[in-house]
Amino acid sequence: MTKILVTGGAGYVGSHACKALAAAGYEPVVFDNLCAGHDWAVKWGPLEEGDLLDRDRIAAVIGAHKPAGAIHFASFAYVGESVTDPGKYWRNNVTGAINLCDALVAADTKAIVFSSSCTVYGLTEAAFISEAEPVAPINPYGNTKRAIEIMLADFETATGMRNTVLRYFNAAGCDADGEIGEVHDPETHLMPLAIAAAAGDRDALKIFGTDYPTPDGTCIRDYIHVTDLADAHVRAVQRMLDGGASDVFNLGAGAGYSVCEVIDAVGRIVGNPVQAIEDGRRAGDPARLVADIAHAQQGLGWQPVHSSLDNIVSTAWNWYRAHAAAGQA
Ligand code: UFG
């Protein structure tokens, strides 16, 4: 079986990608330090515990498994923390990516798929954001994602290692079979917080800003189901292994929902209204971030099919219901 190295494969998006890789006939080899990931989420191939800051360890794992390609998820991803502790983010995200690329090149593995973020576009005002939109990240987390994108281009020039950059919008929802799901500690994302609030398991949800220039005054985001994201990764891997050229793809549903619309959907599906209170704006939140997905549709032959708001909320709620008691939600 063709092996694919998956750094961060014990995490939320990474574990869903591993399930999709296995279904497509690949063996995902997870490399994860388990600082944010979970060993129970590694179900479709071996778990190689290790940290990307340990150059010898990642080189040894790649040398032992000889993967045909890599998907690089492993990264710190709290925007607020990146502002207060930028060194932590630059050291982990950028140095880790350098070490991974060095080890891949040394093993002659010349294809990498990188999980980047729409955060690289910063405070854009485009109604639908295409890959041609200027990049201008506004926080250290986004800067590290952008720095790695640039570094990958430099590696290709020097070594011929091709890359696919996937810029996610808002990953949400959980595996429809309930095998894996979203578990962050601390949790900061709207969808799981709204579900926990509707379930009565936490205090009222704070709505960050009600005075944005949107129809109901709350921020609009493009929520993409994690299973659709996982499918895009498999297609990106296949394309790389078939010799496809380096490219950048925005991954979203191509539709936007406001915070209030998400809250309404969660309340309806959980069967209990979300207790919510209006709060001030959160620093650095653009009013609207919605993807133009035409390039991903054409270049990856990809179509989001699980990303209706109701399906995202339903799958997330099913996971939460089954796992909250076990501390896995
Ligand atoms: N929100 C609230 N209350 C909360 C949490 C979120 O009102 O308690 C709002 C936010 O202000 C935002 C929306 O809900 O308008 C979505 O917020 P999330 O924190 O769920 O997601 P973000 O859009 O902030 O973050 C996502 C990714 C990040 C990435 C960022 C880039 O999850 O990894 O996009 O913009 F960095």
mmCIF file with all atom_site columns, all heavy atoms in Angstrom, residues 77 79 117-119 141 170 188-190 193 205-208 219 221 223 259 282 285 289, ligand 1:
data_model
loop_
_atom_site.group_PDB
_atom_site.id
_atom_site.type_symbol
_atom_site.label_atom_id
_atom_site.label_alt_id
_atom_site.label_comp_id
_atom_site.label_asym_id
_atom_site.label_entity_id
_atom_site.label_seq_id
_atom_site.pdbx_PDB_ins_code
_atom_site.Cartn_x
_atom_site.Cartn_y
_atom_site.Cartn_z
_atom_site.occupancy
_atom_site.B_iso_or_equiv
_atom_site.pdbx_formal_charge
_atom_site.auth_seq_id
_atom_site.auth_comp_id
_atom_site.auth_asym_id
_atom_site.auth_atom_id
_atom_site.pdbx_PDB_model_num
ATOM   1   N N   . ALA A 1 77  ? -2.573  26.505 16.471 1.00 0.00 ? 77  ALA A N   1
ATOM   2   C CA  . ALA A 1 77  ? -3.598  27.175 15.658 1.00 0.00 ? 77  ALA A CA  1
ATOM   3   C C   . ALA A 1 77  ? -4.533  28.084 16.448 1.00 0.00 ? 77  ALA A C   1
ATOM   4   O O   . ALA A 1 77  ? -5.679  28.273 16.061 1.00 0.00 ? 77  ALA A O   1
ATOM   5   C CB  . ALA A 1 77  ? -4.407  26.125 14.904 1.00 0.00 ? 77  ALA A CB  1
ATOM   6   N N   . VAL A 1 79  ? -5.248  31.743 17.218 1.00 0.00 ? 79  VAL A N   1
ATOM   7   C CA  . VAL A 1 79  ? -4.857  33.082 16.769 1.00 0.00 ? 79  VAL A CA  1
ATOM   8   C C   . VAL A 1 79  ? -4.480  33.968 17.962 1.00 0.00 ? 79  VAL A C   1
ATOM   9   O O   . VAL A 1 79  ? -3.431  34.630 17.961 1.00 0.00 ? 79  VAL A O   1
ATOM   10  C CB  . VAL A 1 79  ? -5.995  33.734 15.953 1.00 0.00 ? 79  VAL A CB  1
ATOM   11  C CG1 . VAL A 1 79  ? -5.684  35.182 15.655 1.00 0.00 ? 79  VAL A CG1 1
ATOM   12  C CG2 . VAL A 1 79  ? -6.223  32.964 14.657 1.00 0.00 ? 79  VAL A CG2 1
ATOM   13  N N   . SER A 1 117 ? -4.435  28.395 5.598  1.00 0.00 ? 117 SER A N   1
ATOM   14  C CA  . SER A 1 117 ? -5.675  28.947 6.162  1.00 0.00 ? 117 SER A CA  1
ATOM   15  C C   . SER A 1 117 ? -6.084  30.206 5.409  1.00 0.00 ? 117 SER A C   1
ATOM   16  O O   . SER A 1 117 ? -5.235  30.963 4.928  1.00 0.00 ? 117 SER A O   1
ATOM   17  C CB  . SER A 1 117 ? -5.422  29.284 7.636  1.00 0.00 ? 117 SER A CB  1
ATOM   18  O OG  . SER A 1 117 ? -6.436  30.116 8.137  1.00 0.00 ? 117 SER A OG  1
ATOM   19  N N   . CYS A 1 118 ? -7.377  30.457 5.397  1.00 0.00 ? 118 CYS A N   1
ATOM   20  C CA  . CYS A 1 118 ? -7.866  31.704 4.808  1.00 0.00 ? 118 CYS A CA  1
ATOM   21  C C   . CYS A 1 118 ? -7.374  32.901 5.595  1.00 0.00 ? 118 CYS A C   1
ATOM   22  O O   . CYS A 1 118 ? -7.490  34.038 5.129  1.00 0.00 ? 118 CYS A O   1
ATOM   23  C CB  . CYS A 1 118 ? -9.385  31.701 4.742  1.00 0.00 ? 118 CYS A CB  1
ATOM   24  S SG  . CYS A 1 118 ? -10.184 31.763 6.351  1.00 0.00 ? 118 CYS A SG  1
ATOM   25  N N   . THR A 1 119 ? -6.824  32.658 6.768  1.00 0.00 ? 119 THR A N   1
ATOM   26  C CA  . THR A 1 119 ? -6.297  33.758 7.573  1.00 0.00 ? 119 THR A CA  1
ATOM   27  C C   . THR A 1 119 ? -5.163  34.482 6.842  1.00 0.00 ? 119 THR A C   1
ATOM   28  O O   . THR A 1 119 ? -4.866  35.632 7.149  1.00 0.00 ? 119 THR A O   1
ATOM   29  C CB  . THR A 1 119 ? -5.846  33.246 8.956  1.00 0.00 ? 119 THR A CB  1
ATOM   30  O OG1 . THR A 1 119 ? -5.683  34.349 9.822  1.00 0.00 ? 119 THR A OG1 1
ATOM   31  C CG2 . THR A 1 119 ? -4.555  32.484 8.892  1.00 0.00 ? 119 THR A CG2 1
ATOM   32  N N   . TYR A 1 141 ? -0.088  33.861 13.806 1.00 0.00 ? 141 TYR A N   1
ATOM   33  C CA  . TYR A 1 141 ? -0.500  32.555 13.275 1.00 0.00 ? 141 TYR A CA  1
ATOM   34  C C   . TYR A 1 141 ? -0.568  32.602 11.745 1.00 0.00 ? 141 TYR A C   1
ATOM   35  O O   . TYR A 1 141 ? -0.015  31.752 11.046 1.00 0.00 ? 141 TYR A O   1
ATOM   36  C CB  . TYR A 1 141 ? -1.855  32.169 13.873 1.00 0.00 ? 141 TYR A CB  1
ATOM   37  C CG  . TYR A 1 141 ? -2.528  31.011 13.179 1.00 0.00 ? 141 TYR A CG  1
ATOM   38  C CD1 . TYR A 1 141 ? -2.002  29.727 13.260 1.00 0.00 ? 141 TYR A CD1 1
ATOM   39  C CD2 . TYR A 1 141 ? -3.685  31.205 12.419 1.00 0.00 ? 141 TYR A CD2 1
ATOM   40  C CE1 . TYR A 1 141 ? -2.609  28.669 12.607 1.00 0.00 ? 141 TYR A CE1 1
ATOM   41  C CE2 . TYR A 1 141 ? -4.301  30.162 11.767 1.00 0.00 ? 141 TYR A CE2 1
ATOM   42  C CZ  . TYR A 1 141 ? -3.761  28.895 11.875 1.00 0.00 ? 141 TYR A CZ  1
ATOM   43  O OH  . TYR A 1 141 ? -4.367  27.853 11.213 1.00 0.00 ? 141 TYR A OH  1
ATOM   44  N N   . ASN A 1 170 ? -13.665 27.821 7.367  1.00 0.00 ? 170 ASN A N   1
ATOM   45  C CA  . ASN A 1 170 ? -13.932 27.359 8.734  1.00 0.00 ? 170 ASN A CA  1
ATOM   46  C C   . ASN A 1 170 ? -14.297 25.877 8.767  1.00 0.00 ? 170 ASN A C   1
ATOM   47  O O   . ASN A 1 170 ? -15.438 25.515 8.450  1.00 0.00 ? 170 ASN A O   1
ATOM   48  C CB  . ASN A 1 170 ? -15.042 28.196 9.366  1.00 0.00 ? 170 ASN A CB  1
ATOM   49  C CG  . ASN A 1 170 ? -14.562 29.586 9.718  1.00 0.00 ? 170 ASN A CG  1
ATOM   50  O OD1 . ASN A 1 170 ? -14.101 30.324 8.857  1.00 0.00 ? 170 ASN A OD1 1
ATOM   51  N ND2 . ASN A 1 170 ? -14.643 29.929 10.990 1.00 0.00 ? 170 ASN A ND2 1
ATOM   52  N N   . THR A 1 188 ? -12.358 27.048 21.222 1.00 0.00 ? 188 THR A N   1
ATOM   53  C CA  . THR A 1 188 ? -12.636 28.465 20.958 1.00 0.00 ? 188 THR A CA  1
ATOM   54  C C   . THR A 1 188 ? -13.570 28.644 19.763 1.00 0.00 ? 188 THR A C   1
ATOM   55  O O   . THR A 1 188 ? -13.983 29.771 19.478 1.00 0.00 ? 188 THR A O   1
ATOM   56  C CB  . THR A 1 188 ? -11.323 29.223 20.638 1.00 0.00 ? 188 THR A CB  1
ATOM   57  O OG1 . THR A 1 188 ? -10.737 28.659 19.463 1.00 0.00 ? 188 THR A OG1 1
ATOM   58  C CG2 . THR A 1 188 ? -10.336 29.153 21.783 1.00 0.00 ? 188 THR A CG2 1
ATOM   59  N N   . HIS A 1 189 ? -13.872 27.559 19.042 1.00 0.00 ? 189 HIS A N   1
ATOM   60  C CA  . HIS A 1 189 ? -14.624 27.689 17.789 1.00 0.00 ? 189 HIS A CA  1
ATOM   61  C C   . HIS A 1 189 ? -16.122 27.790 18.039 1.00 0.00 ? 189 HIS A C   1
ATOM   62  O O   . HIS A 1 189 ? -16.671 27.168 18.943 1.00 0.00 ? 189 HIS A O   1
ATOM   63  C CB  . HIS A 1 189 ? -14.336 26.501 16.872 1.00 0.00 ? 189 HIS A CB  1
ATOM   64  C CG  . HIS A 1 189 ? -12.910 26.471 16.411 1.00 0.00 ? 189 HIS A CG  1
ATOM   65  N ND1 . HIS A 1 189 ? -11.992 25.590 16.937 1.00 0.00 ? 189 HIS A ND1 1
ATOM   66  C CD2 . HIS A 1 189 ? -12.251 27.228 15.514 1.00 0.00 ? 189 HIS A CD2 1
ATOM   67  C CE1 . HIS A 1 189 ? -10.825 25.810 16.356 1.00 0.00 ? 189 HIS A CE1 1
ATOM   68  N NE2 . HIS A 1 189 ? -10.943 26.795 15.495 1.00 0.00 ? 189 HIS A NE2 1
ATOM   69  N N   . LEU A 1 190 ? -16.763 28.557 17.168 1.00 0.00 ? 190 LEU A N   1
ATOM   70  C CA  . LEU A 1 190 ? -18.185 28.871 17.343 1.00 0.00 ? 190 LEU A CA  1
ATOM   71  C C   . LEU A 1 190 ? -19.059 27.621 17.410 1.00 0.00 ? 190 LEU A C   1
ATOM   72  O O   . LEU A 1 190 ? -19.901 27.489 18.310 1.00 0.00 ? 190 LEU A O   1
ATOM   73  C CB  . LEU A 1 190 ? -18.653 29.768 16.193 1.00 0.00 ? 190 LEU A CB  1
ATOM   74  C CG  . LEU A 1 190 ? -20.145 30.067 16.169 1.00 0.00 ? 190 LEU A CG  1
ATOM   75  C CD1 . LEU A 1 190 ? -20.549 30.875 17.408 1.00 0.00 ? 190 LEU A CD1 1
ATOM   76  C CD2 . LEU A 1 190 ? -20.527 30.831 14.895 1.00 0.00 ? 190 LEU A CD2 1
ATOM   77  N N   . LEU A 1 193 ? -18.822 25.402 20.577 1.00 0.00 ? 193 LEU A N   1
ATOM   78  C CA  . LEU A 1 193 ? -19.235 26.190 21.749 1.00 0.00 ? 193 LEU A CA  1
ATOM   79  C C   . LEU A 1 193 ? -20.746 26.390 21.753 1.00 0.00 ? 193 LEU A C   1
ATOM   80  O O   . LEU A 1 193 ? -21.399 26.312 22.802 1.00 0.00 ? 193 LEU A O   1
ATOM   81  C CB  . LEU A 1 193 ? -18.529 27.547 21.750 1.00 0.00 ? 193 LEU A CB  1
ATOM   82  C CG  . LEU A 1 193 ? -17.019 27.527 22.045 1.00 0.00 ? 193 LEU A CG  1
ATOM   83  C CD1 . LEU A 1 193 ? -16.455 28.945 21.999 1.00 0.00 ? 193 LEU A CD1 1
ATOM   84  C CD2 . LEU A 1 193 ? -16.726 26.885 23.402 1.00 0.00 ? 193 LEU A CD2 1
ATOM   85  N N   . LEU A 1 205 ? -23.178 31.576 25.346 1.00 0.00 ? 205 LEU A N   1
ATOM   86  C CA  . LEU A 1 205 ? -22.219 31.894 24.280 1.00 0.00 ? 205 LEU A CA  1
ATOM   87  C C   . LEU A 1 205 ? -22.127 33.410 24.119 1.00 0.00 ? 205 LEU A C   1
ATOM   88  O O   . LEU A 1 205 ? -23.144 34.088 24.126 1.00 0.00 ? 205 LEU A O   1
ATOM   89  C CB  . LEU A 1 205 ? -22.714 31.271 22.975 1.00 0.00 ? 205 LEU A CB  1
ATOM   90  C CG  . LEU A 1 205 ? -21.831 31.505 21.765 1.00 0.00 ? 205 LEU A CG  1
ATOM   91  C CD1 . LEU A 1 205 ? -20.710 30.474 21.735 1.00 0.00 ? 205 LEU A CD1 1
ATOM   92  C CD2 . LEU A 1 205 ? -22.643 31.441 20.485 1.00 0.00 ? 205 LEU A CD2 1
ATOM   93  N N   . LYS A 1 206 ? -20.915 33.908 23.976 1.00 0.00 ? 206 LYS A N   1
ATOM   94  C CA  . LYS A 1 206 ? -20.743 35.337 23.696 1.00 0.00 ? 206 LYS A CA  1
ATOM   95  C C   . LYS A 1 206 ? -20.738 35.536 22.189 1.00 0.00 ? 206 LYS A C   1
ATOM   96  O O   . LYS A 1 206 ? -20.004 34.860 21.477 1.00 0.00 ? 206 LYS A O   1
ATOM   97  C CB  . LYS A 1 206 ? -19.419 35.835 24.270 1.00 0.00 ? 206 LYS A CB  1
ATOM   98  C CG  . LYS A 1 206 ? -19.404 35.924 25.780 1.00 0.00 ? 206 LYS A CG  1
ATOM   99  C CD  . LYS A 1 206 ? -18.054 36.444 26.254 1.00 0.00 ? 206 LYS A CD  1
ATOM   100 C CE  . LYS A 1 206 ? -18.060 36.545 27.777 1.00 0.00 ? 206 LYS A CE  1
ATOM   101 N NZ  . LYS A 1 206 ? -16.704 36.759 28.313 1.00 0.00 ? 206 LYS A NZ  1
ATOM   102 N N   . ILE A 1 207 ? -21.552 36.451 21.719 1.00 0.00 ? 207 ILE A N   1
ATOM   103 C CA  . ILE A 1 207 ? -21.542 36.799 20.288 1.00 0.00 ? 207 ILE A CA  1
ATOM   104 C C   . ILE A 1 207 ? -20.572 37.964 20.120 1.00 0.00 ? 207 ILE A C   1
ATOM   105 O O   . ILE A 1 207 ? -20.806 39.063 20.631 1.00 0.00 ? 207 ILE A O   1
ATOM   106 C CB  . ILE A 1 207 ? -22.952 37.201 19.804 1.00 0.00 ? 207 ILE A CB  1
ATOM   107 C CG1 . ILE A 1 207 ? -23.927 36.038 20.016 1.00 0.00 ? 207 ILE A CG1 1
ATOM   108 C CG2 . ILE A 1 207 ? -22.909 37.612 18.338 1.00 0.00 ? 207 ILE A CG2 1
ATOM   109 C CD1 . ILE A 1 207 ? -25.372 36.393 19.680 1.00 0.00 ? 207 ILE A CD1 1
ATOM   110 N N   . PHE A 1 208 ? -19.480 37.687 19.409 1.00 0.00 ? 208 PHE A N   1
ATOM   111 C CA  . PHE A 1 208 ? -18.426 38.698 19.277 1.00 0.00 ? 208 PHE A CA  1
ATOM   112 C C   . PHE A 1 208 ? -18.771 39.715 18.189 1.00 0.00 ? 208 PHE A C   1
ATOM   113 O O   . PHE A 1 208 ? -18.354 39.598 17.049 1.00 0.00 ? 208 PHE A O   1
ATOM   114 C CB  . PHE A 1 208 ? -17.092 38.029 18.961 1.00 0.00 ? 208 PHE A CB  1
ATOM   115 C CG  . PHE A 1 208 ? -16.559 37.142 20.047 1.00 0.00 ? 208 PHE A CG  1
ATOM   116 C CD1 . PHE A 1 208 ? -15.850 35.994 19.732 1.00 0.00 ? 208 PHE A CD1 1
ATOM   117 C CD2 . PHE A 1 208 ? -16.765 37.443 21.388 1.00 0.00 ? 208 PHE A CD2 1
ATOM   118 C CE1 . PHE A 1 208 ? -15.340 35.167 20.729 1.00 0.00 ? 208 PHE A CE1 1
ATOM   119 C CE2 . PHE A 1 208 ? -16.269 36.620 22.399 1.00 0.00 ? 208 PHE A CE2 1
ATOM   120 C CZ  . PHE A 1 208 ? -15.553 35.483 22.064 1.00 0.00 ? 208 PHE A CZ  1
ATOM   121 N N   . CYS A 1 219 ? -20.783 38.417 12.268 1.00 0.00 ? 219 CYS A N   1
ATOM   122 C CA  . CYS A 1 219 ? -19.795 38.016 11.254 1.00 0.00 ? 219 CYS A CA  1
ATOM   123 C C   . CYS A 1 219 ? -20.272 36.826 10.430 1.00 0.00 ? 219 CYS A C   1
ATOM   124 O O   . CYS A 1 219 ? -20.896 35.896 10.953 1.00 0.00 ? 219 CYS A O   1
ATOM   125 C CB  . CYS A 1 219 ? -18.494 37.602 11.928 1.00 0.00 ? 219 CYS A CB  1
ATOM   126 S SG  . CYS A 1 219 ? -17.535 38.957 12.552 1.00 0.00 ? 219 CYS A SG  1
ATOM   127 N N   . ARG A 1 221 ? -19.130 33.645 8.055  1.00 0.00 ? 221 ARG A N   1
ATOM   128 C CA  . ARG A 1 221 ? -18.020 32.732 7.768  1.00 0.00 ? 221 ARG A CA  1
ATOM   129 C C   . ARG A 1 221 ? -18.496 31.632 6.826  1.00 0.00 ? 221 ARG A C   1
ATOM   130 O O   . ARG A 1 221 ? -19.704 31.330 6.738  1.00 0.00 ? 221 ARG A O   1
ATOM   131 C CB  . ARG A 1 221 ? -17.483 32.085 9.050  1.00 0.00 ? 221 ARG A CB  1
ATOM   132 C CG  . ARG A 1 221 ? -16.800 33.034 9.998  1.00 0.00 ? 221 ARG A CG  1
ATOM   133 C CD  . ARG A 1 221 ? -15.451 33.500 9.456  1.00 0.00 ? 221 ARG A CD  1
ATOM   134 N NE  . ARG A 1 221 ? -14.788 34.451 10.345 1.00 0.00 ? 221 ARG A NE  1
ATOM   135 C CZ  . ARG A 1 221 ? -14.992 35.779 10.308 1.00 0.00 ? 221 ARG A CZ  1
ATOM   136 N NH1 . ARG A 1 221 ? -15.839 36.302 9.431  1.00 0.00 ? 221 ARG A NH1 1
ATOM   137 N NH2 . ARG A 1 221 ? -14.329 36.576 11.124 1.00 0.00 ? 221 ARG A NH2 1
ATOM   138 N N   . TYR A 1 223 ? -18.450 27.878 6.385  1.00 0.00 ? 223 TYR A N   1
ATOM   139 C CA  . TYR A 1 223 ? -18.236 26.636 7.152  1.00 0.00 ? 223 TYR A CA  1
ATOM   140 C C   . TYR A 1 223 ? -18.167 25.456 6.194  1.00 0.00 ? 223 TYR A C   1
ATOM   141 O O   . TYR A 1 223 ? -19.114 25.193 5.447  1.00 0.00 ? 223 TYR A O   1
ATOM   142 C CB  . TYR A 1 223 ? -19.351 26.456 8.190  1.00 0.00 ? 223 TYR A CB  1
ATOM   143 C CG  . TYR A 1 223 ? -19.324 27.566 9.220  1.00 0.00 ? 223 TYR A CG  1
ATOM   144 C CD1 . TYR A 1 223 ? -20.064 28.735 9.046  1.00 0.00 ? 223 TYR A CD1 1
ATOM   145 C CD2 . TYR A 1 223 ? -18.496 27.482 10.334 1.00 0.00 ? 223 TYR A CD2 1
ATOM   146 C CE1 . TYR A 1 223 ? -19.991 29.782 9.965  1.00 0.00 ? 223 TYR A CE1 1
ATOM   147 C CE2 . TYR A 1 223 ? -18.420 28.519 11.265 1.00 0.00 ? 223 TYR A CE2 1
ATOM   148 C CZ  . TYR A 1 223 ? -19.172 29.666 11.068 1.00 0.00 ? 223 TYR A CZ  1
ATOM   149 O OH  . TYR A 1 223 ? -19.087 30.690 11.977 1.00 0.00 ? 223 TYR A OH  1
ATOM   150 N N   . VAL A 1 259 ? -23.062 34.465 12.463 1.00 0.00 ? 259 VAL A N   1
ATOM   151 C CA  . VAL A 1 259 ? -23.046 33.853 13.807 1.00 0.00 ? 259 VAL A CA  1
ATOM   152 C C   . VAL A 1 259 ? -24.483 33.584 14.249 1.00 0.00 ? 259 VAL A C   1
ATOM   153 O O   . VAL A 1 259 ? -24.796 32.502 14.788 1.00 0.00 ? 259 VAL A O   1
ATOM   154 C CB  . VAL A 1 259 ? -22.303 34.773 14.803 1.00 0.00 ? 259 VAL A CB  1
ATOM   155 C CG1 . VAL A 1 259 ? -22.446 34.242 16.230 1.00 0.00 ? 259 VAL A CG1 1
ATOM   156 C CG2 . VAL A 1 259 ? -20.831 34.910 14.421 1.00 0.00 ? 259 VAL A CG2 1
ATOM   157 N N   . ARG A 1 282 ? -14.346 40.825 18.520 1.00 0.00 ? 282 ARG A N   1
ATOM   158 C CA  . ARG A 1 282 ? -13.068 40.183 18.826 1.00 0.00 ? 282 ARG A CA  1
ATOM   159 C C   . ARG A 1 282 ? -12.035 40.787 17.869 1.00 0.00 ? 282 ARG A C   1
ATOM   160 O O   . ARG A 1 282 ? -12.298 40.894 16.668 1.00 0.00 ? 282 ARG A O   1
ATOM   161 C CB  . ARG A 1 282 ? -13.205 38.673 18.606 1.00 0.00 ? 282 ARG A CB  1
ATOM   162 C CG  . ARG A 1 282 ? -12.038 37.854 19.073 1.00 0.00 ? 282 ARG A CG  1
ATOM   163 C CD  . ARG A 1 282 ? -12.335 36.364 18.972 1.00 0.00 ? 282 ARG A CD  1
ATOM   164 N NE  . ARG A 1 282 ? -12.509 35.909 17.590 1.00 0.00 ? 282 ARG A NE  1
ATOM   165 C CZ  . ARG A 1 282 ? -12.682 34.641 17.234 1.00 0.00 ? 282 ARG A CZ  1
ATOM   166 N NH1 . ARG A 1 282 ? -12.724 33.700 18.168 1.00 0.00 ? 282 ARG A NH1 1
ATOM   167 N NH2 . ARG A 1 282 ? -12.831 34.302 15.978 1.00 0.00 ? 282 ARG A NH2 1
ATOM   168 N N   . ASP A 1 285 ? -11.258 40.144 13.632 1.00 0.00 ? 285 ASP A N   1
ATOM   169 C CA  . ASP A 1 285 ? -12.308 39.396 12.925 1.00 0.00 ? 285 ASP A CA  1
ATOM   170 C C   . ASP A 1 285 ? -12.826 40.200 11.732 1.00 0.00 ? 285 ASP A C   1
ATOM   171 O O   . ASP A 1 285 ? -13.473 41.237 11.913 1.00 0.00 ? 285 ASP A O   1
ATOM   172 C CB  . ASP A 1 285 ? -13.501 39.127 13.864 1.00 0.00 ? 285 ASP A CB  1
ATOM   173 C CG  . ASP A 1 285 ? -13.426 37.788 14.556 1.00 0.00 ? 285 ASP A CG  1
ATOM   174 O OD1 . ASP A 1 285 ? -12.648 36.919 14.092 1.00 0.00 ? 285 ASP A OD1 1
ATOM   175 O OD2 . ASP A 1 285 ? -14.140 37.601 15.555 1.00 0.00 ? 285 ASP A OD2 1
ATOM   176 N N   . LEU A 1 289 ? -15.942 36.330 5.498  1.00 0.00 ? 289 LEU A N   1
ATOM   177 C CA  . LEU A 1 289 ? -14.912 35.524 4.833  1.00 0.00 ? 289 LEU A CA  1
ATOM   178 C C   . LEU A 1 289 ? -15.612 34.361 4.153  1.00 0.00 ? 289 LEU A C   1
ATOM   179 O O   . LEU A 1 289 ? -16.064 33.418 4.810  1.00 0.00 ? 289 LEU A O   1
ATOM   180 C CB  . LEU A 1 289 ? -13.905 34.968 5.849  1.00 0.00 ? 289 LEU A CB  1
ATOM   181 C CG  . LEU A 1 289 ? -12.868 35.913 6.466  1.00 0.00 ? 289 LEU A CG  1
ATOM   182 C CD1 . LEU A 1 289 ? -12.079 35.189 7.553  1.00 0.00 ? 289 LEU A CD1 1
ATOM   183 C CD2 . LEU A 1 289 ? -11.927 36.460 5.398  1.00 0.00 ? 289 LEU A CD2 1
HETATM 184 N N1  . UFG B 2 .   ? -17.537 33.653 17.536 1.00 0.00 ? 1   UFG B N1  1
HETATM 185 C C1  . UFG B 2 .   ? -18.395 34.169 18.484 1.00 0.00 ? 1   UFG B C1  1
HETATM 186 N N2  . UFG B 2 .   ? -18.332 33.666 19.739 1.00 0.00 ? 1   UFG B N2  1
HETATM 187 C C2  . UFG B 2 .   ? -17.455 32.655 20.102 1.00 0.00 ? 1   UFG B C2  1
HETATM 188 C C3  . UFG B 2 .   ? -16.588 32.139 19.122 1.00 0.00 ? 1   UFG B C3  1
HETATM 189 C C4  . UFG B 2 .   ? -16.659 32.655 17.847 1.00 0.00 ? 1   UFG B C4  1
HETATM 190 O O1  . UFG B 2 .   ? -19.176 35.056 18.215 1.00 0.00 ? 1   UFG B O1  1
HETATM 191 O O2  . UFG B 2 .   ? -17.440 32.267 21.281 1.00 0.00 ? 1   UFG B O2  1
HETATM 192 C C5  . UFG B 2 .   ? -17.610 34.165 16.173 1.00 0.00 ? 1   UFG B C5  1
HETATM 193 C C6  . UFG B 2 .   ? -16.309 34.780 15.711 1.00 0.00 ? 1   UFG B C6  1
HETATM 194 O O3  . UFG B 2 .   ? -16.224 36.133 16.060 1.00 0.00 ? 1   UFG B O3  1
HETATM 195 C C7  . UFG B 2 .   ? -16.403 34.560 14.203 1.00 0.00 ? 1   UFG B C7  1
HETATM 196 C C8  . UFG B 2 .   ? -17.195 33.253 14.078 1.00 0.00 ? 1   UFG B C8  1
HETATM 197 O O4  . UFG B 2 .   ? -17.870 33.085 15.305 1.00 0.00 ? 1   UFG B O4  1
HETATM 198 O O5  . UFG B 2 .   ? -17.115 35.577 13.598 1.00 0.00 ? 1   UFG B O5  1
HETATM 199 C C9  . UFG B 2 .   ? -16.323 32.048 13.845 1.00 0.00 ? 1   UFG B C9  1
HETATM 200 O O6  . UFG B 2 .   ? -15.298 32.040 14.838 1.00 0.00 ? 1   UFG B O6  1
HETATM 201 P P1  . UFG B 2 .   ? -14.346 30.796 15.061 1.00 0.00 ? 1   UFG B P1  1
HETATM 202 O O7  . UFG B 2 .   ? -13.452 31.158 16.239 1.00 0.00 ? 1   UFG B O7  1
HETATM 203 O O8  . UFG B 2 .   ? -15.141 29.545 15.144 1.00 0.00 ? 1   UFG B O8  1
HETATM 204 O O9  . UFG B 2 .   ? -13.509 30.742 13.728 1.00 0.00 ? 1   UFG B O9  1
HETATM 205 P P2  . UFG B 2 .   ? -12.588 31.852 13.084 1.00 0.00 ? 1   UFG B P2  1
HETATM 206 O O10 . UFG B 2 .   ? -13.311 32.326 11.857 1.00 0.00 ? 1   UFG B O10 1
HETATM 207 O O11 . UFG B 2 .   ? -12.131 32.885 14.028 1.00 0.00 ? 1   UFG B O11 1
HETATM 208 O O12 . UFG B 2 .   ? -11.291 30.974 12.818 1.00 0.00 ? 1   UFG B O12 1
HETATM 209 C C10 . UFG B 2 .   ? -11.092 30.248 11.676 1.00 0.00 ? 1   UFG B C10 1
HETATM 210 C C11 . UFG B 2 .   ? -10.194 29.074 11.948 1.00 0.00 ? 1   UFG B C11 1
HETATM 211 C C12 . UFG B 2 .   ? -8.855  29.530 12.456 1.00 0.00 ? 1   UFG B C12 1
HETATM 212 C C13 . UFG B 2 .   ? -8.282  30.497 11.488 1.00 0.00 ? 1   UFG B C13 1
HETATM 213 C C14 . UFG B 2 .   ? -9.240  31.618 11.245 1.00 0.00 ? 1   UFG B C14 1
HETATM 214 C C15 . UFG B 2 .   ? -8.739  32.562 10.202 1.00 0.00 ? 1   UFG B C15 1
HETATM 215 O O13 . UFG B 2 .   ? -10.805 28.241 12.906 1.00 0.00 ? 1   UFG B O13 1
HETATM 216 O O14 . UFG B 2 .   ? -7.988  28.439 12.605 1.00 0.00 ? 1   UFG B O14 1
HETATM 217 O O15 . UFG B 2 .   ? -10.479 31.105 10.781 1.00 0.00 ? 1   UFG B O15 1
HETATM 218 O O16 . UFG B 2 .   ? -9.572  33.667 10.070 1.00 0.00 ? 1   UFG B O16 1
HETATM 219 F F1  . UFG B 2 .   ? -7.125  31.018 11.925 1.00 0.00 ? 1   UFG B F1  1
#
